[in-house]
């Protein structure tokens, strides 16, 4: 006998502002108004889950690493024009971190720009090689050493090769990037920038997405909230995805240990990604669109 999929609230369209509010309250996300057309089954469920991971959760992991450069204290006497320095990766590799202090005030401030050239820069389980930049920065507060601050910018990735485990992916595109430090939580969000969507190999993250990560200071947990749609040439069409239950885990580990991420395909078919622990997850497959689980597959986060 089939078991019921764990869904209780139908999807509805909301604005990105409403989505951000929902994330801060731990509510589930809603998908954009894009029609999915790839029928999902046990045959392609793992491929679909990997496609969603690499276009939503992986970019958040990369953005978290890159955002860390903006908290590096400027060298004494630096400022006034272009300043470049070599940064050693915590786990190996290097990056050239460039700061364009456009107002010459010797501090990170609104209007400044930042560039990164990574050479196998290793941190948080990622191996990064490629270029990134933060442009059009708006900074409120003291980013280095401050208790409360915000950064808004356009984050651009150019040929950013990302290696995690035995998986290699190349990310290309831009985001509206926001990073905020509060006393109890650090917020990171990625939203669509102008132009085309993010590409990850043969997959494109279509405009209309929202990717959010919260790091909770008091108990070292993290929460992930994602919603969007992808076009995957390998699968031959579009999928939509959204968190049904917040994806929760430990901030020091790359992947969540609880929650639900629903991937919708054509004809009402779906795959629900359900973390079992920090390393494994279930893929609950509804291959006929009747709202019930037809097959359950096991997968490892590292394989996605």
């Amino acid at each position: 006998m089939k078991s019921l999929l764990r869904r209780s609230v139908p999807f509805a369209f909301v604005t990105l502002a409403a989505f951000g509010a929902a994330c801060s309250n731990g509510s589930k996300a809603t998908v954009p108004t894009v029609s999915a057309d790839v029928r999902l089954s046990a045959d392609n469920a793992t491929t679909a889950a990997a496609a969603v991971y690499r276009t939503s959760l992986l970019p958040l992991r990369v953005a978290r690493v890159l955002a860390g450069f903006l908290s590096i204290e400027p060298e004494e006497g630096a400022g006034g024009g272009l300043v470049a320095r070599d940064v050693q990766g915590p786990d190996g590799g290097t990056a050239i971190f460039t700061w364009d202090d456009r107002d010459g005030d010797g501090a990170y401030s609104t209007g400044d720009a930042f560039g990164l050239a990574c050479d196998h820069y290793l941190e948080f389980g990622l191996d990064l090689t490629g270029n990134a930049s933060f442009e059009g920065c708006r900074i409120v507060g003291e980013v280095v050493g401050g208790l409360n601050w915000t950064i808004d910018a356009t984050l651009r990735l150019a040929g950013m090769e990302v290696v995690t485990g035995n998986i290699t992916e190349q990310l290309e595109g831009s985001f509206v990037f926001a990073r905020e430090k509060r006393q109890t939580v650090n917020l990171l969000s990625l939203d669509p920038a102008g132009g085309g969507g993010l590409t990850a190999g043969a997959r494109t993250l279509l405009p209309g997405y929202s990717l959010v990560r919260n790091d909770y200071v008091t108990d070292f947990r993290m929460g992930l909230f994602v919603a969007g749609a992808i076009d995957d040439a390998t699968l031959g069409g579009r999928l939509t995805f959204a968190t049904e239950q917040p994806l929760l885990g430990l901030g020091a580990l790359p992947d969540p240990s609880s929650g639900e991420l629903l991937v919708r395909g054509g004809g009402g078919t779906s795959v629900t990604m359900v973390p079992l622990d920090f390393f494994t997850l279930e893929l609950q497959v509804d291959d006929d669109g009747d709202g019930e689980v037809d097959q359950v597959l096991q997968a490892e986060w590292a394989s996605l």
Side-chain angles (χ1 to χ4, degrees), residues 53-86:
Y53 185 95
R54 297 181 200 180
T55 53
S56 60
L57 302 185
L58 184 60
L60 278 173
R61 291 180 62 188
V62 172
R64 180 196 183 199
V65 172
L66 299 179
F69 285 87
L70 303 180
S71 296
I72 295 176
E73 184 172 2
E75 295 177 328
E76 186 175 353
L82 287 174
V83 179
R85 62 189 294 186
D86 291 331

Side-chain angles (χ1 to χ4, degrees), residues 147-148 181-186 215-219 221:
L147 295 177
N148 297 279
K181 177 179 173 59
R182 302 178 186 173
Q183 290 187 354
T184 59
V185 63
N186 296 324
D215 283 279
Y216 305 103
V217 176
T218 54
D219 59 7
R221 293 182 306 126

Side-chain angles (χ1 to χ4, degrees), residues 24-294:
S24 65
N25 293 324
S27 302
K28 76 171 187 176
T30 56
V31 296
T33 53
V34 174
S35 297
D37 56 12
V38 176
R39 291 193 66 90
L40 296 174
S41 67
D43 293 335
N44 61 7
T46 302
T47 302
V52 169
Y53 185 95
R54 297 181 200 180
T55 53
S56 60
L57 302 185
L58 184 60
L60 278 173
R61 291 180 62 188
V62 172
R64 180 196 183 199
V65 172
L66 299 179
F69 285 87
L70 303 180
S71 296
I72 295 176
E73 184 172 2
E75 295 177 328
E76 186 175 353
L82 287 174
V83 179
R85 62 189 294 186
D86 291 331
V87 178
Q88 299 295 315
D91 301 311
T94 61
I96 300 174
F97 177 43
T98 304
W99 167 35
D100 187 356
D101 183 16
R102 293 181 177 177
D103 57 7
D105 65 352
Y108 300 159
S109 56
T110 295
D112 291 356
F114 305 87
L116 289 160
C118 300
D119 184 8
H120 294 290
Y121 185 87
L122 304 176
E123 187 174 11
F124 294 130
L126 298 178
D127 179 340
L128 303 181
T129 299
N131 299 307
S133 63
F134 294 91
E135 304 168 7
C137 295
R138 185 177 69 87
I139 299 176
V140 178
E142 296 183 10
V143 176
V144 179
L147 295 177
N148 297 279
W149 47 260
T150 62
I151 302 175
D152 297 293
T154 297
L155 170 58
R156 301 189 189 280
L157 304 178
M160 182 60 72
E161 184 180 86
V162 183
V163 180
T164 174
N166 60 356
I167 304 296
T168 300
E169 195 64 83
Q170 182 161 303
L171 303 182
E172 191 99 24
S174 57
F175 307 93
V176 174
F177 165 93
R179 183 69 158 159
E180 180 177 358
K181 177 179 173 59
R182 302 178 186 173
Q183 290 187 354
T184 59
V185 63
N186 296 324
L187 310 175
L188 171 64
S189 66
L190 302 174
D191 293 305
L198 171 84
T199 61
R203 310 167 191 87
T204 299
L205 179 61
L206 301 174
Y209 61 84
S210 189
L211 314 177
V212 176
R213 176 186 173 114
N214 295 346
D215 283 279
Y216 305 103
V217 176
T218 54
D219 59 7
F220 308 105
R221 293 182 306 126
M222 62 104 171
L224 304 172
F225 309 85
V226 297
I230 60 174
D231 195 331
D232 189 328
T234 303
L235 287 168
R238 296 184 301 274
L239 302 170
T240 64
F241 61 89
T243 46
E244 282 280 282
Q245 299 293 333
L247 296 168
L248 302 176
L250 292 177
L253 297 178
D255 299 308
S257 60
S258 65
E260 292 183 12
L261 176 53
L262 176 62
V263 183
R264 286 188 178 271
T269 59
S270 67
V271 174
T272 304
M273 301 169 62
V274 181
L276 299 177
D277 53 39
F278 296 112
F279 308 103
T280 59
L281 69 157
E282 276 187 355
L283 304 179
Q284 300 176 354
V285 183
D286 174 7
D287 60 18
D288 55 13
D290 66 354
E292 299 182 351
V293 174
D294 297 294

